[in-house]
Amino acid sequence: MKYIITLILALATVLPMPAQNNDSRQDERTEGHKDEQKKFDPERYQRELEAFICHEACLTKPEAQKFFPLYREMLQKQRAIYMKKNVFDKAAYSDNKAAEAVILAYDERELSIKKLQLQYHKQFIKVMPATKVLKFIRAEERFNRNMMRNFSRRPHQHQQPQPHHPKGNK
């Protein structure tokens, strides 16, 4: 999961996210605005992620109202840890001591993110059942994996992640 979060955070700041257009009239209206469609929209991403999590984890409205502020806070802190320093220094590829320092800094950053996740997962369990927290974790991973898959497709092939219910369990 740490790789997925790291990849999401990196790609969210760099890669554009094409908008989904299912309506042919929408295509005609936005023909001149293709550049705008290709830009990543963090608010839209957050709305879609939260809707997907609500559905997949079967969150009630009161649970969602308690959970999502904590979740957003966790994501903000994870982003801050991730953005503190770009640990991959180009000089490190030709210098063993620099490479070792980069590896250790990278590992420390990843450990910090995991410790933060652990702290927040414990808080999540206080506001909703552990079964729903587990469903949330799985849903978040699935959503982000599907979004990464969609980045590699052509714009007209982008789809929202599909709900997943393993063996009929919700």
Side-chain angles (χ1 to χ4, degrees):
M1 183 165 165
K2 69 180 178 182
Y3 298 112
I4 292 172
I5 290 174
T6 303
L7 186 60
I8 289 295
L9 292 173
L11 290 175
T13 60
V14 177
L15 291 179
M17 186 167 121
Q20 180 180 2
N21 287 323
N22 292 332
D23 186 329
S24 61
R25 288 178 291 156
Q26 179 70 15
D27 288 344
E28 294 169 10
R29 287 190 299 250
T30 60
E31 191 66 34
H33 303 288
K34 287 188 179 186
D35 289 337
E36 292 174 19
Q37 290 176 325
K38 292 180 183 178
K39 292 181 182 175
F40 177 74
D41 181 358
E43 288 90 19
R44 178 178 174 203
Y45 173 83
Q46 191 69 31
R47 281 191 313 272
E48 290 176 3
L49 173 62
E50 289 180 11
F52 189 79
I53 288 170
C54 270
H55 179 267
E56 290 291 296
C58 305
L59 299 183
T60 64
K61 193 169 187 168
E63 288 170 338
Q65 288 173 338
K66 291 177 187 174
F67 169 74
F68 282 115
L70 284 172
Y71 178 60
R72 288 183 207 113
E73 184 179 297
M74 180 186 77
L75 290 178
Q76 187 176 21
K77 288 180 180 179
Q78 284 178 331
R79 207 171 289 120
I81 291 169
Y82 181 79
M83 299 305 277
K84 271 185 183 175
K85 183 181 177 197
N86 183 6
V87 296
F88 291 106
D89 183 8
K90 290 181 183 179
Y93 290 98
S94 59
D95 177 13
N96 278 329
K97 283 195 177 218
E100 183 178 346
V102 167
I103 292 166
L104 295 175
Y106 175 81
D107 289 344
E108 283 299 319
R109 184 177 71 185
E110 294 300 313
L111 284 171
S112 295
I113 288 173
K114 286 312 261 181
K115 287 177 185 176
L116 185 68
Q117 279 181 328
L118 175 63
Q119 173 190 343
Y120 274 89
H121 288 170
K122 289 177 181 179
Q123 289 182 34
F124 297 162
I125 291 170
K126 291 178 182 176
V127 299
M128 61 189 191
T131 54
K132 290 189 178 189
V133 174
L134 184 56
K135 288 179 183 180
F136 143 73
I137 292 168
R138 300 282 313 267
E140 180 187 42
E141 288 176 352
R142 197 167 29 261
F143 182 88
N144 289 327
R145 189 172 42 251
N146 288 336
M147 292 304 281
M148 289 297 105
R149 223 177 271 136
N150 288 342
F151 275 125
S152 65
R153 294 183 183 157
R154 292 186 301 195
H156 68 344
Q157 292 177 327
H158 286 267
Q159 301 171 5
Q160 284 199 355
Q162 296 300 314
H164 173 73
H165 299 288
K167 298 180 184 175
N169 295 341
K170 270 195 165 183

